[in-house]
Amino acid sequence: MSRVLTGIQSTGVPHLGNLLGAILPGIELANQPGNEAFFFIADLHSLTTIHDADIIRENTYATAAGWLACGFDTETGYFYRQSDIPEVTELTWYLTCHFPYMRLTRAHSFKDKSGKLDSVSGGLFFYPMLMAADILLYDAEMVPVGKDQKQHLEFTREVAEKINRQYGEELLVVPDPIIRDEVKTVPGINKNETGGFTKMSKSYGNEIILFQPEKKLRKRVMKIETDSTPVEDPKNPDSDIVYALYKLVASEEQVAELRDAYLRGGMGYGTAKQLLFEALRDKFGEAREKYDYYMQNKNLIEEKLREGAEKAGPVAYEVLSRIREKMGYKRYAY
Ligand code: ADP
Ligand code: TRP
């Protein structure tokens, strides 16, 4: 059995980047014979930026509903909320104390995120150690993530290797990242200052959320930034966001047709956007219905998370006990 683990921060409703970069590839891996999946909602990570209990709760449901809507099988896999297994915070401390401060100061995601916030918490700085704890607490072997998380996985491997050298080679399982090349980074709806693509992200406000009413989804797609090439002129598909997104969700045939239409000229971006909207609506139709169902029946989500905590908790407890003992700590029951 190979153990696959991944988490999504509950900072809002999952967007297209989350679906293509994390949820769908994760489910695909979970469904492969011989794999055992641990998928969780990283609600403690959300606390680095959100300080409102109602929003934390609502986002947790939205994220969980995203996994369930996309078809994660919670019977065979482990599906839980990070905060339900508090062992993870204790392990975070053990890891933090073994990881060089200077390495954390070089985290790309910290630099990106802290630059956009008025007030930066210490939690945001230690975020990679909480993520490493998420992974090491369950002896995960494979971690499917988007390209942006590569450095966090390197930190995880580094801290695990360091601890293994110190306390015994077998103590922690050193995980491998699984980064899907064909998905890479899903672009957001706006271009950057130099006219290039940006990463779709909740923190940049450039995301496409599929789980919303059709009208709103269409409106969002229509907002995608394009250049001002006139309708009749040929267009460059390779520098266009609409085409880049279409490539990720439409069939090969459909993509080839759209490519021709760009190169030929005579088609406006509005038509391309309409095609993208239809491709999104068709590809994710069933998932969108299921999402609404779960969000209207949150008790069903709670039930799944409770079962998940009951399954994941004992695994975490056992791994943490192993680490504690090696580091010279024990714990009395109370
Ligand atoms: P966000 O950047 O919107 O806050 P998260 O950081 O919560 O998204 O990402 C959750 C998961 O989705 C991670 O595995 C991440 O790599 C993946 N992901 C997020 N945005 C993208 C994207 N634009 N392209 C590919 N994968 C992404
Ligand atoms: N940091 C990840 C992100 O923002 C989410 C995450 C938290 C995660 N813990 C994890 C991903 C453990 C994989 C494994 O995308």
Side-chain angles (χ1 to χ4, degrees), residues 16 19-20 24 208 210 214 217-218 221-222 224 241-255 257-258 270-288:
L16 186 64
L19 258 68
L20 297 177
L24 293 173
I208 293 181
L210 297 160
E214 220 169 280
L217 173 60
R218 184 168 183 281
V221 171
M222 292 298 157
I224 297 175
I241 302 172
V242 183
Y243 180 78
L245 290 171
Y246 195 67
K247 251 190 355 194
L248 295 172
V249 295
S251 70
E252 249 177 60
E253 225 177 25
Q254 289 173 314
V255 175
E257 270 174 37
L258 188 66
T271 308
K273 288 179 183 178
Q274 178 64 25
L275 287 173
L276 173 61
F277 161 70
E278 286 167 13
L280 290 170
R281 188 194 55 194
D282 296 348
K283 188 176 166 77
F284 296 102
E286 194 189 327
R288 294 177 64 232

Side-chain angles (χ1 to χ4, degrees), residues 5-9 40 42 45 127 131 134-135 143 145 149 152:
L5 175 145
T6 198
I8 290 204
Q9 237 194 114
F40 67 95
H45 276 108
Y127 179 115
M131 177 159 165
D134 286 329
I135 298 168
V143 184
V145 282
Q149 297 296 311
H152 287 156

Side-chain angles (χ1 to χ4, degrees), residues 8-14 19 23 27 39-43 56-72 74 79-82 202 211 287 290-291 294-295 297-298 300-306:
I8 290 204
Q9 237 194 114
S10 46
T11 38
V13 180
L19 258 68
I23 298 184
I27 292 175
F39 293 162
F40 67 95
I41 297 120
D43 62 337
I56 290 270
R57 269 189 287 267
E58 192 60 19
N59 285 348
T60 298
Y61 288 132
T63 309
W67 279 106
L68 297 170
C70 289
F72 180 50
T74 59
F79 183 63
Y80 54 99
R81 173 166 48 201
Q82 183 186 31
K202 279 162 275 187
F211 301 130
K290 277 201 200 161
Y291 178 87
Y294 277 112
M295 287 307 275
N297 295 280
K298 295 198 176 100
L300 296 180
I301 303 180
E302 270 306 333
E303 210 172 289
K304 298 231 180 240
L305 293 175
R306 188 181 48 76

Side-chain angles (χ1 to χ4, degrees), residues 179-195:
I179 296 166
R180 288 222 311 182
D181 277 343
E182 77 269 28
V183 169
K184 296 214 180 89
T185 306
V186 177
I189 66 163
N190 296 322
K191 294 201 171 174
N192 62 24
E193 312 79 50
T194 57

Side-chain angles (χ1 to χ4, degrees), residues 95-131:
L95 301 181
T96 303
C97 290
H98 289 84
F99 197 72
Y101 163 81
M102 281 313 286
R103 292 284 291 136
L104 285 173
T105 63
R106 294 195 197 103
H108 311 311
S109 81
F110 178 74
K111 285 188 202 158
D112 282 359
K113 289 190 182 169
S114 58
K116 291 184 185 67
L117 294 169
D118 297 333
S119 137
V120 178
S121 72
L124 192 68
F125 183 72
F126 289 113
Y127 179 115
M129 291 294 101
L130 178 58
M131 177 159 165

